[in-house]
Amino acid sequence: MSKKSPSSEPIVIKKYANRRLYNTDTSSYVTLDDLCEMVKEGAEFIVYDAKSGEDLTRQILTQIIFEQESQAQGQHLLPINFLRSLIGFYDNSLKEFVPPYLESTMQTFMKNQEKMREAMGTNPLVGGVAAVPGLGQVAQQMEEIGKQNMELFTKAFSMFAPFGPPGAENKKK
């Protein structure tokens, strides 16, 4: 895989009519799995239709998510209620607010995840809790980050169901 620096242009991937994907940076054909690895490595790329020049990046990224979810074997990343809510927003008057909200929430989640990794990196779990000075503080930091993440996700999910869980209005009658 080729990983360009953040300041350089994104890698151009061309999708041909035969559904093959061509990485113009490495002059080689790639698969969805290759593109998935590129995303995980932090490589920026744009996918264009080779004939029309149409930007297909969103469709390809969505296809990668679909493939990941279908291979998850019980450990799916996207909850069913979230997917239903997301689908419901395509015809909703608030749909213009959803992408920036989701992006902001995901950025906050990733920052908290990085804090957790840093805390774990400075205090490795070797020899048990008693053998690691300051581990109690790390555990408290991790617990706090976990609480923040849960609060973010609770807020995110409440945005998708602002009037309570589906069917709640029927239970009140």
Side-chain angles (χ1 to χ4, degrees):
M1 289 311 109
S2 176
K3 181 179 174 183
K4 292 188 174 184
S5 65
S7 62
S8 65
E9 293 294 315
I11 297 166
V12 174
I13 307 293
K14 292 184 180 181
K15 183 176 181 186
Y16 289 93
N18 63 3
R19 298 189 305 206
R20 292 194 72 184
L21 300 163
Y22 184 77
N23 182 333
T24 60
D25 192 54
T26 61
S27 300
S28 62
Y29 287 99
V30 293
T31 65
L32 287 177
D33 287 338
D34 294 330
L35 294 180
C36 181
E37 285 305 312
M38 288 172 67
V39 169
K40 291 176 182 178
E41 293 170 359
E44 293 286 329
F45 61 82
I46 298 175
V47 182
Y48 293 112
D49 182 279
K51 187 175 183 179
S52 70
E54 178 186 1
D55 185 348
L56 302 175
T57 308
R58 183 179 313 277
Q59 291 92 327
I60 294 297
L61 291 172
T62 304
Q63 193 173 356
I64 291 170
I65 292 169
F66 174 78
E67 292 293 323
Q68 292 293 301
E69 282 291 305
S70 65
Q71 297 170 6
Q73 297 182 5
Q75 299 215 325
H76 301 282
L77 188 62
L78 301 172
I80 289 174
N81 286 337
F82 175 81
L83 293 170
R84 290 177 197 261
S85 297
L86 195 57
I87 291 167
F89 271 99
Y90 278 94
D91 291 332
N92 191 303
S93 62
L94 295 175
K95 75 178 180 181
E96 67 188 57
F97 298 107
V98 174
Y101 181 80
L102 289 177
E103 193 166 356
S104 172
T105 302
M106 185 57 75
Q107 289 296 325
T108 303
F109 178 78
M110 289 188 311
K111 286 177 188 174
N112 286 339
Q113 184 182 33
E114 186 59 34
K115 286 179 189 176
M116 201 176 322
R117 283 189 182 132
E118 288 173 9
M120 291 301 291
T122 57
N123 292 306
L125 294 173
V126 178
V129 174
V132 182
L135 186 60
Q137 184 179 9
V138 171
Q140 287 175 340
Q141 289 173 342
M142 288 177 50
E143 183 178 349
E144 184 60 33
I145 290 170
K147 286 178 184 178
Q148 289 174 4
N149 288 340
M150 286 306 295
E151 187 176 308
L152 282 171
F153 281 115
T154 301
K155 286 180 183 178
F157 284 118
S158 68
M159 179 182 166
F160 291 111
F163 304 109
E169 65 279 353
N170 295 335
K171 292 178 183 176
K172 292 179 182 177
K173 293 180 181 180

